């Protein structure tokens, strides 16, 4: 096996390790790190909950003296600035590691090549851009938060084979997917920092927006509703559970202070104002910017067709997961993908197919936005 193949294999393992804390590591990226000496992994680490400790320091600590002369594999350029903890670069140099292999540069202006430069200046061999594309996907939320001031967004939609997300007005709620697809959705919730819907979905479906998988009952993700007029009832399931799960409503700038105070007092939720767009809805750049300022790097959106269309056509839906159930609606209803969104999603200039599989009787496809 060549050195390049070996580096790719170890980096692939480091990426898998880092993914363990996707949805928990914000506001920092979920980094993975391995220390390898003479073909043996002697240390491993991944970013801790809330972003601390860093993966590199955990991996080096677990390796101990075995780190001397070893190779450190890291999925992102090590930090070189003083924050809540000392720079990882200092710990790497002090450990006696001889070689560092990273997947990609960190665009954070406090790092941005400086970490690699300091390692080289200290006499360490440094190799970069190993499995960069895979790392960019894992760290996309961090990259977008640093470069564009917004988190990454994964949009999930479910539709019948004839294309509908719901029945006609006043029809009973349509349950499109089966248990495997539903479990997949809960897992995706756990892999993100926040779960977001629009006010229409919140009112009509009254969702809990929580992770409900065996062994993950204590997982809590920020629940976000884009509610321009603060129309959500405090007596809804969402409002009634706001004290048990972190909850944020982003409302229009015209909502009165009295209405906000009343809702907060009744539910315990947080409410933030944002400007509205030309259609009178909460402006998505402002809403996503608010989440980024709060440290959110990854958002899982389960909104309806209107919000989905705005995310796709606005260039904010970085991944789109589309579940197609087995049972057609066979009548009038609401399309899951309205024509404008469907045209963009199926245009190879904007999205590329990333995955296609079956989850029981349902089909799941995933597309990635082309940057």
């Amino acid at each position: 096996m060549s050195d390049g193949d070996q580096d790719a294999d170890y980096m692939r393992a480091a990426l898998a390790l880092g993914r363990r804390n996707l949805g928990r590591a914000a506001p920092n990226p979920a980094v993975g790190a391995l220390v390898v000496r003479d073909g043996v992994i002697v240390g491993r680490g991944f970013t801790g909950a809330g972003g601390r400790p860093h993966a590199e320091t955990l991996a080096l600590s677990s390796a101990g003296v075995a780190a001397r002369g070893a190779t450190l594999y890291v999925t992102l350029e090590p930090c070189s600035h003083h924050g809540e903890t000392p720079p990882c670069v200092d710990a790497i140099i002090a450990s006696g590691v001889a070689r560092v292999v990273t997947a990609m540069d960190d665009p954070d202006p406090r790092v941005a090549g400086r970490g690699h430069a300091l390692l080289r200046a200290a006499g360490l061999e440094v190799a970069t851009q190993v499995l960069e594309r895979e790392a960019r996907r894992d760290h996309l939320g961090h990259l977008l938060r640093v470069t564009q001031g917004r988190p990454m967004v994964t949009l999930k939609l479910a539709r019948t084979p004839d294309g509908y997300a719901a029945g006609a007005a006043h029809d009973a709620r349509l349950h499109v997917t089966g248990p495997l697809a539903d479990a997949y959705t809960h897992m995706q919730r756990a892999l993100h920092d926040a779960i977001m819907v629009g006010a229409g979905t919140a009112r009509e479906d009254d969702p809990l927006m929580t992770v409900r998988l065996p062994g993950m009952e204590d997982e809590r993700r920020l629940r976000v509703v884009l509610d321009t007029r603060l129309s959500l009832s405090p007596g809804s399931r969402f409002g009634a559970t706001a004290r048990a799960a972190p909850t944020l409503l982003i409302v229009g700038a015209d909502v009165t202070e009295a209405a906000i105070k009343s809702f907060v007092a009744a539910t315990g939720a947080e409410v933030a104002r944002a400007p509205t767009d030309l259609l009178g809805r909460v402006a998505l750049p402002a809403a996503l910017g608010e989440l980024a300022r709060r440290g959110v790097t990854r958002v899982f959106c389960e909104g309806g067709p209107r919000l989905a269309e705005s995310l796709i056509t606005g260039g904010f839906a970085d991944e789109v997961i589309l579940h197609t159930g087995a049972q057609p609606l066979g009548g009038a209803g609401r399309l899951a993908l309205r024509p404008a969104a469907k045209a963009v999603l199926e245009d190879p200039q904007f999205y590329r197919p990333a995955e296609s599989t079956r989850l029981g009787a349902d089909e799941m496809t995933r597309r990635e936005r082309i940057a």
Side-chain angles (χ1 to χ4, degrees):
M1 180 184 295
S2 69
D3 289 344
D5 290 340
Q6 190 173 65
D7 284 347
D9 285 345
Y10 284 125
M11 188 60 72
R12 197 167 286 111
L15 286 164
L17 192 62
R19 291 184 198 114
R20 291 187 181 188
N21 254 7
L22 281 175
R24 301 187 184 99
N28 289 342
V31 175
L34 295 175
V35 182
V36 179
R37 182 173 180 176
D38 299 326
V40 177
I41 296 174
V42 295
R44 53 174 58 85
F46 52 88
T47 308
R52 298 287 188 278
H54 286 187
E56 300 95 317
T57 55
L58 284 174
L60 293 169
S61 177
S62 67
V65 296
R68 292 206 165 272
T71 297
L72 173 67
Y73 292 87
V74 191
T75 63
L76 186 67
E77 179 181 8
C79 65
S80 55
H81 61 281
H82 283 270
E84 294 182 21
T85 57
C88 287
V89 164
D90 292 355
I92 294 169
I93 294 170
S95 73
V97 162
R99 182 170 180 257
V100 177
V101 180
T102 70
M104 61 177 297
D105 297 343
D106 188 344
D108 188 324
R110 298 170 298 177
V111 186
R114 186 167 179 264
H116 290 146
L118 288 171
L119 292 173
R120 290 188 176 104
L124 280 70
E125 180 186 347
V126 178
T128 64
Q129 280 77 53
V130 176
L131 299 189
E132 182 177 16
R133 178 174 173 176
E134 292 88 338
R136 288 187 67 84
R137 180 174 180 268
D138 287 0
H139 298 320
L140 183 58
H142 168 70
L143 303 182
L144 289 173
R145 183 168 177 258
V146 167
T147 61
Q148 298 185 24
R150 73 168 180 90
M152 71 87 67
V153 177
T154 300
L155 171 65
K156 187 272 292 185
L157 290 166
R159 66 180 179 183
T160 61
D162 45 357
Y164 294 101
H170 310 300
D171 283 359
R173 182 180 177 185
L174 182 65
H175 198 86
V176 175
T177 52
L180 285 180
D182 292 347
Y184 181 89
T185 292
H186 281 276
M187 183 57 69
Q188 287 298 317
R189 290 177 181 178
L191 294 173
H192 291 73
D193 314 326
I195 305 163
M196 183 173 76
V197 298
T201 297
R203 289 192 304 269
E204 294 169 20
D205 294 349
D206 200 12
L208 284 173
M209 295 165 61
T210 54
V211 179
R212 298 188 298 280
L213 290 174
M216 303 185 74
E217 293 85 0
D218 293 334
E219 294 288 333
R220 295 287 181 267
R221 300 295 180 263
L222 177 65
R223 307 184 304 172
V224 181
V225 178
L226 306 184
D227 189 0
T228 306
R229 298 177 180 81
L230 190 50
S231 60
L232 191 66
S233 168
S236 64
R237 288 201 305 171
F238 186 89
T241 56
R243 288 186 170 87
T247 302
L248 171 68
L249 270 69
I250 302 180
V251 303
D254 292 338
V255 174
T256 67
E257 190 65 29
I260 291 174
K261 286 183 177 178
S262 175
F263 189 87
V264 170
T267 64
E270 286 189 83
V271 178
R273 286 193 181 95
T276 52
D277 60 20
L278 295 176
L279 297 175
R281 305 168 189 163
V282 169
L284 285 175
L288 295 174
E290 174 67 29
L291 295 178
R293 285 189 292 276
R294 291 169 175 261
V296 172
T297 63
R298 295 170 56 83
V299 175
F300 188 61
C301 180
E302 299 184 64
R306 190 169 68 178
L307 179 54
E309 181 175 21
S310 297
L311 288 167
I312 291 171
T313 59
F316 300 113
D318 302 295
E319 292 191 4
V320 179
I321 295 171
L322 184 59
H323 295 286
T324 303
Q327 184 66 41
L329 179 63
R334 280 180 288 174
L335 290 171
L337 283 169
R338 302 202 305 188
K342 189 171 186 290
V344 174
L345 188 62
E346 294 178 354
D347 190 329
Q349 295 182 81
F350 300 113
Y351 283 92
R352 60 172 164 256
E355 184 180 4
S356 180
T357 190
R358 298 204 68 85
L359 299 171
D362 307 318
E363 180 185 7
M364 187 277 287
T365 59
R366 182 172 60 82
R367 291 177 179 265
E368 296 176 345
R369 185 177 63 86
I370 298 172

